[in-house]
Amino acid sequence: MMSSGSSSFYRSFKPGEWEELGVGASPTLSEKDLSRLRGRGETVSLQEVRQVYVPLSRLLRLYIDAASKLHETSDLFLKGRARKTPYIIAIAGSVAVGKSTTARILCELLRRQKPELRVKLVATDGFLLSNAELTARGLMERKGFPQSYDIAGLMDFLVGVKSGRTGIKIPVYSHEAYDILPDRVERIGRPDVLVVEGLNLLQTARRDMSSPFISDFFDFSIFLDAEENVIRRWYIERFLGLCETAFRDEESYFHRYAGLSEAEARKTAGKIWSGINRINLRRNILPTRERARLILCKGADHGIAEIRLRKL
């Protein structure tokens, strides 16, 4: 829960109140669209899309349009020498809280609002250090912690995007292999909007305070929030589902878990949560929540129960 001091920085809305702010916003999604965009265990409904995501996409469009007008002003002052750069949206939060689903839904809605808008989604998983490098540094049990990422590579990527660099390529991460694919890269192109989702995006701690950090490059930031015990349950439920599906693939890094009984799987997932994900949440992720421009607070049913928009 947020402290009374930090919560005073935000205006709070229930989904019905938030929906009223998006009156006239369109288009929305169909059930077929949602089935394609939902992640494992996610239960986003058409009503939630209408009440929460459509108004949010309208707000983002207003910010994107305002940024475009600001660019025009800068270009006027600089006599045509200002380079237009992508509007970058960050989506942060714990593992199993639904970041990927939120990112996919918002990207889809932004594209539908303005088809000519080039929208690109990037997950920071591609900037994790390889398993070989993590093992060499003794960090395999801290995968997902800030120190497990190629921060220099991620910084170079964001600098390149914001400077309008062409030909940008990023590494590709495989959740099946649980590792970076050494022979694969993804080409980014020149998007108008870049949505970046990941665990530790809003951190600012650094030794050299004179240099920029990842969060300095974001134009708008969203944090997905829920009670810790609820996220733990979601994580365990997702693990159980994967034991019955993806883990059965012999090529999966986690294939060894496929034969576990339900009780064994629950115990294993709980141990992983307590030894890795809970520590990362408390130490690195949760302390950055109040840096977000907008917080989506989820209830135990995965539904968004409250929307908090920063005043300042």
Side-chain angles (χ1 to χ4, degrees), residues 96-303:
V97 80
K99 298 183 301 299
S100 297
T101 295
T102 293
R104 287 192 292 267
I105 290 175
L106 288 176
C107 285
E108 186 71 16
L109 288 171
L110 286 171
R111 292 187 187 106
R112 293 187 179 203
Q113 286 185 28
K114 192 174 182 180
E116 65 271 25
L117 200 66
R118 296 168 297 180
V119 182
K120 181 69 177 179
L121 171 60
V122 169
T124 57
D125 292 342
F127 293 96
L128 282 163
L129 297 171
S130 69
N131 286 354
E133 184 65 25
L134 290 172
T135 299
R137 299 187 188 189
L139 291 173
M140 273 301 288
E141 294 302 310
R142 289 294 178 263
K143 194 167 186 175
F145 284 53
Q147 60 267 38
S148 68
Y149 288 88
D150 174 12
I151 297 298
L154 181 53
M155 279 288 296
D156 183 66
F157 164 66
L158 292 172
V159 169
V161 168
K162 274 299 188 185
S163 62
R165 189 189 307 163
T166 59
I168 297 177
K169 297 179 289 186
I170 63 173
V172 173
Y173 183 83
S174 167
H175 288 278
E176 290 72 29
Y178 195 58
D179 202 357
I180 298 295
L181 299 179
D183 56 344
R184 293 276 303 279
V185 294
E186 180 180 4
R187 299 181 185 277
I188 301 304
R190 292 282 299 275
D192 300 302
V193 179
L194 178 69
V195 178
V196 183
E197 66 99 347
L199 298 171
N200 299 294
L201 291 175
L202 303 183
Q203 289 208 336
T204 58
R206 55 185 182 268
R207 292 181 180 178
D208 180 8
M209 297 297 288
S210 65
S211 61
F213 200 65
I214 295 168
S215 57
D216 296 331
F217 291 87
F218 301 139
D219 298 292
F220 194 95
S221 52
I222 300 169
F223 189 97
L224 267 69
D225 194 28
E227 296 289 348
E228 182 184 307
N229 64 318
V230 171
I231 303 176
R232 177 183 183 277
R233 174 167 62 79
W234 293 342
Y235 176 79
I236 292 174
E237 289 173 351
R238 186 175 74 174
F239 188 91
L240 293 176
L242 290 170
C243 284
E244 297 296 322
T245 54
F247 292 173
R248 292 187 180 276
D249 185 345
E250 293 184 358
E251 299 298 318
S252 171
Y253 179 87
F254 297 103
H255 179 64
R256 62 188 181 276
Y257 296 138
L260 296 178
S261 67
E262 181 177 336
E264 291 170 333
R266 286 187 179 277
K267 183 177 181 180
T268 299
K271 184 177 180 180
I272 295 172
W273 170 265
S274 299
I276 300 176
N277 296 311
R278 182 176 67 183
I279 297 171
N280 197 19
L281 173 62
R282 293 180 176 181
R283 183 182 301 172
N284 302 310
I285 302 170
L286 200 56
T288 68
R289 178 180 54 193
E290 278 72 50
R291 300 200 68 250
R293 183 73 63 86
L294 182 118
I295 302 174
L296 297 176
C297 306
K298 286 192 165 188
D301 63 350
H302 268 286

